[in-house]
Amino acid sequence: MLDSLCSVRYPIVLVAVLATLFFIDLTVSSSTLSRRALQQQKLLNNGFRMRLHHVDHHVKNLTRFERLQRGAARGRNRLQRLNAMVLAAAGGAAVGDQVQAPVVAGNGEFLMKLAIGSPPKSFSAIMDTGSDLIWTQCKPCQQCFDQSTPIFDPKESSSFSKLSCSSELCGALPTSACSNDGCEYLYTYGDYSSTHGLLGAETFTFGDPGEDQVSISEIGFGCGDDNEGDGFSQGAGLVGLGRGPLSLVSQLKEQKFAYCLTPIDDSKPSSLLMGSLANVKPKKSQDEIKTTPLIRNPSQPSFYYLSLEGISVGGSHLAIPQPTFELRDDGSGGVIIDSGTTITYIDKSAFTLLKKEFIAQMKLPVDDSGTGGLDLCFKLPSEATQVEVPKLTFHFKDADLELPGENYMIGDSAAGLLCLAIGSSSGMSIFGNLQQQNFMVVHDLQEETISFVPTQCDGI
């Protein structure tokens, strides 16, 4: 598919991206350009908001439990992709004389609306904090999946340009090739889905209509004309928010962003906040903010790794050996925080202890039927009664995060089940989005921290 693969290398530092409100013709004077650039930078400094909709938002008449089951099924597939990527990096991607395209995260659980081009064309894209590349489907398509909005045609946009193979963004791609048209990219995902096309630059418009929208020129993105796989059809592409140079966050030179996720069954949208809007303060006490440092993994530079030091159930601190959640020298193991995985997955040995402690404290019979689709479910009493669940606390470095019960126990009265929304993993561990709901999750890239702020996310 690719004519000549460039050498694979770690991402390099990007130069600052010029941000302007409007597409600027080459005849515009430098003074006008400066004024517009300053005006755009002022808007960026004020920050902007994007509404997020769950990928199952359009599927009506689903119970909370059914939404959880659908999300958990997608999450298991994502976990497999992530583990495959980490193992490939730990063991090396080269096989003989062949170079295999690296597996990247892809897919996700939330969609954002944005617009691309001049004039702007609206579309929905999957938000993914586990990858970097921004891409959408482009005409003329060799192979494209169905999407609800028209496929982007770069020939109809006055602000589209192709990026050369000598561009820094092309150099930051994990797999690229040179063609007569410019920089050609290939992103391959662990479920054999992929996007392939040309790397371009375009004007993107962010924010909801009726609010302060921000248009930013020269955003590098993948213009995919050969896109395969089942996981992308909810949207028309993907917006990577990872830590690498290709991501939206890196290209905007943002030092801070945050998201606030509403419950899985809430009809109200979630929010993604960029720039100064992510400077949130708790309404009651500064003690409500739980802040933990980010860890860097050189073999997986896009992921947001956290240091998880232990887990408590009720008043019992689980006897999990210290190295269980540590990042290993070969880049495997460790714990990432991820918006694109529904439930939390922890190391199998730790999950065994967690499961045992929940069974001991729940005082309900265990359901072994497997109908719940999760690793641990209990049988609800036939009579309507209030069920007490033990407190669950994740002990991150410098931050003991106690979760609300609805963030980890999901019941279904019709099925008579109450299930723990946590699963086991044979590789890396993932702190999923269900456990993050109704927290403002602030990514401070300058301080290299993650903060959790209790927030009613449907009210912001």
Side-chain angles (χ1 to χ4, degrees), residues 415-442:
L417 294 176
L418 182 66
C419 296
L420 178 66
I422 296 176
S424 64
S425 170
S426 297
M428 70 189 310
S429 297
I430 302 176
F431 192 66
N433 66 59
L434 186 74
Q435 281 65 47
Q436 301 172 53
Q437 67 185 13
N438 279 335
F439 284 99
M440 183 73 75
V441 183
V442 183

Side-chain angles (χ1 to χ4, degrees), residues 128-389:
D128 185 19
T129 53
S131 65
D132 295 332
L133 183 67
I134 306 165
W135 66 270
T136 188
Q137 300 197 113
C138 288
K139 290 182 178 180
C141 267
Q142 299 178 36
Q143 180 167 328
C144 283
F145 51 81
D146 291 335
Q147 63 180 63
S148 59
T149 53
I151 293 174
F152 178 65
D153 187 349
K155 292 182 179 180
E156 294 182 355
S157 173
S158 62
S159 49
F160 174 80
S161 62
K162 299 173 183 177
L163 292 183
S164 70
C165 288
S166 61
S167 66
E168 294 189 57
L169 287 181
C170 186
L173 285 164
T175 305
S176 63
C178 294
S179 69
N180 292 334
D181 288 327
C183 179
E184 193 174 349
Y185 77 91
L186 171 66
Y187 249 47
T188 300
Y189 300 86
D191 58 356
Y192 304 105
S193 59
S194 63
T195 176
H196 171 228
L198 289 175
L199 194 65
E202 187 52 284
T203 296
F204 280 73
T205 301
F206 304 100
D208 294 325
E211 298 183 4
D212 288 334
Q213 290 185 310
V214 177
S215 296
I216 306 166
S217 63
E218 298 299 316
I219 294 291
F221 78 109
C223 200
D225 60 8
D226 188 354
N227 312 295
E228 305 175 31
D230 298 328
F232 305 121
S233 56
Q234 301 101 328
L238 188 145
V239 173
L241 293 175
R243 301 173 81 178
L246 289 161
S247 78
L248 177 63
V249 179
S250 296
Q251 292 197 55
L252 294 183
K253 298 298 179 184
E254 290 289 3
Q255 296 301 318
K256 190 177 289 188
F257 75 95
Y259 54 75
C260 200
L261 307 178
T262 57
I264 195 170
D265 59 338
D266 198 329
S267 60
K268 295 184 179 179
S270 301
S271 295
L272 172 66
L273 308 176
M274 304 294 290
S276 61
L277 289 183
N279 294 323
V280 293
K281 299 292 184 183
K283 292 183 177 180
K284 296 179 181 178
S285 167
Q286 191 72 19
D287 293 338
E288 289 185 329
I289 297 181
K290 305 295 182 181
T291 300
T292 185
L294 285 167
I295 301 172
R296 288 195 177 273
N297 181 358
S299 70
Q300 301 297 336
S302 296
F303 291 164
Y304 296 96
Y305 279 87
L306 304 179
S307 178
L308 179 60
E309 298 178 335
I311 301 174
S312 293
V313 179
S316 177
H317 197 104
L318 302 181
I320 302 171
Q322 181 179 350
T324 301
F325 296 120
E326 290 181 352
L327 187 62
R328 304 185 185 100
D329 291 339
D330 64 358
S332 63
V335 181
I336 67 168
I337 181 170
D338 183 36
S339 65
T341 304
T342 299
I343 70 172
T344 289
Y345 293 92
I346 61 175
D347 181 87
K348 187 176 182 180
S349 62
F351 180 78
T352 299
L353 296 173
L354 181 77
K355 180 178 179 178
K356 181 179 179 181
E357 193 61 37
F358 262 97
I359 292 173
Q361 295 191 33
M362 279 297 295
K363 301 176 183 178
L364 289 175
V366 175
D367 177 77
D368 295 321
S369 67
T371 57
L374 296 164
D375 289 341
L376 177 61
C377 291
F378 299 93
K379 297 178 181 178
L380 285 172
S382 54
E383 303 85 11
T385 182
Q386 187 173 2
V387 177
E388 292 188 10
V389 298

Side-chain angles (χ1 to χ4, degrees), residues 92-103:
V95 180
D97 295 328
Q98 297 180 342
V99 179
Q100 298 177 341
V103 180

